[in-house]
Amino acid sequence: MSHTHPPALLVSPIRDGTVIDHITAGEALNVLRILGITGTTDECLSIATNVASELMGHKDIVKIENRELVKEEVNRIALIAPRASINFIRNYTVVQKKGVEIPAVLKGVVRCPNPGCISNTNEPIESSFEVVGTGLHCLYCDTVITKDIASHII
Ligand SMILES: [Zn+2]
């Protein structure tokens, strides 16, 4: 990242796309992982971490140009950043703003930690977890992931 810009320009406005604001500080890169965005995909990204926030103390912000996230993607973010807010931008204007909702079921997003689980074999089966109060419950083998969900993201 360039250090020649003053802090006010750290996250520049985008013309069209999605701004994910109020991400739990330190989770920006996990948000990208959960959206399937890596260094080899071609989205144009701006990422700001540990930005001062009146609401949260510190927060992360991710801006994705020329892509509007779909509801299923937005809701995955709730697993690691439950206070995140999503802003859709068109022609530099926020056209829609929404919060994230924890999804009921997650398919193909998280890998089951049980090596014997059928979703970890060569069978063409997508992982499938029910979101429960204590974590994520594998619908194939009943394993429950209770912590560090981000490290299980596929
Ligand atoms: Zn399983």
Side-chain angles (χ1 to χ4, degrees):
M1 191 173 288
S2 167
H3 294 280
T4 58
H5 295 298
L9 295 178
L10 193 59
V11 183
S12 53
I14 59 173
R15 182 189 168 97
D16 298 294
T18 304
V19 176
I20 309 165
D21 198 357
H22 300 111
I23 298 168
T24 311
E27 296 290 349
L29 296 179
N30 287 327
V31 165
L32 295 179
R33 283 180 65 201
I34 217 167
L35 295 174
I37 296 171
T38 66
T40 58
T41 51
D42 57 8
E43 287 87 357
C44 184
L45 300 171
S46 311
I47 300 162
T49 56
N50 293 309
V51 178
S53 161
E54 259 178 54
L55 188 66
M56 301 171 66
H58 288 92
K59 65 179 181 179
D60 290 359
I61 304 169
V62 169
K63 299 192 177 193
I64 308 168
E65 278 183 58
N66 299 323
R67 177 167 163 190
E68 287 191 9
L69 300 179
V70 300
K71 187 168 189 286
E72 195 193 24
E73 295 173 314
V74 164
N75 287 345
R76 286 176 194 170
I77 295 169
L79 295 171
I80 51 173
R83 298 172 78 175
S85 57
I86 312 293
N87 301 286
F88 293 127
I89 315 287
R90 287 182 200 153
N91 203 17
Y92 297 108
T93 306
V94 176
V95 292
Q96 201 184 351
K97 204 178 181 82
K98 57 175 137 186
V100 293
E101 283 168 51
I102 301 215
V105 174
L106 278 184
K107 283 182 186 291
V109 178
V110 169
R111 189 183 307 284
C112 182
N114 170 11
C117 179
I118 192 165
S119 68
N120 284 324
T121 63
N122 289 327
E123 302 293 327
I125 293 173
E126 254 189 343
S127 75
S128 190
F129 287 85
E130 173 191 17
V131 181
V132 293
T134 47
L136 301 178
H137 167 226
C138 177
L139 294 175
Y140 294 110
C141 73
D142 286 337
T143 295
V144 178
I145 303 174
T146 55
K147 57 180 180 182
D148 205 7
I149 287 167
S151 71
H152 296 284
I153 296 168
I154 290 171

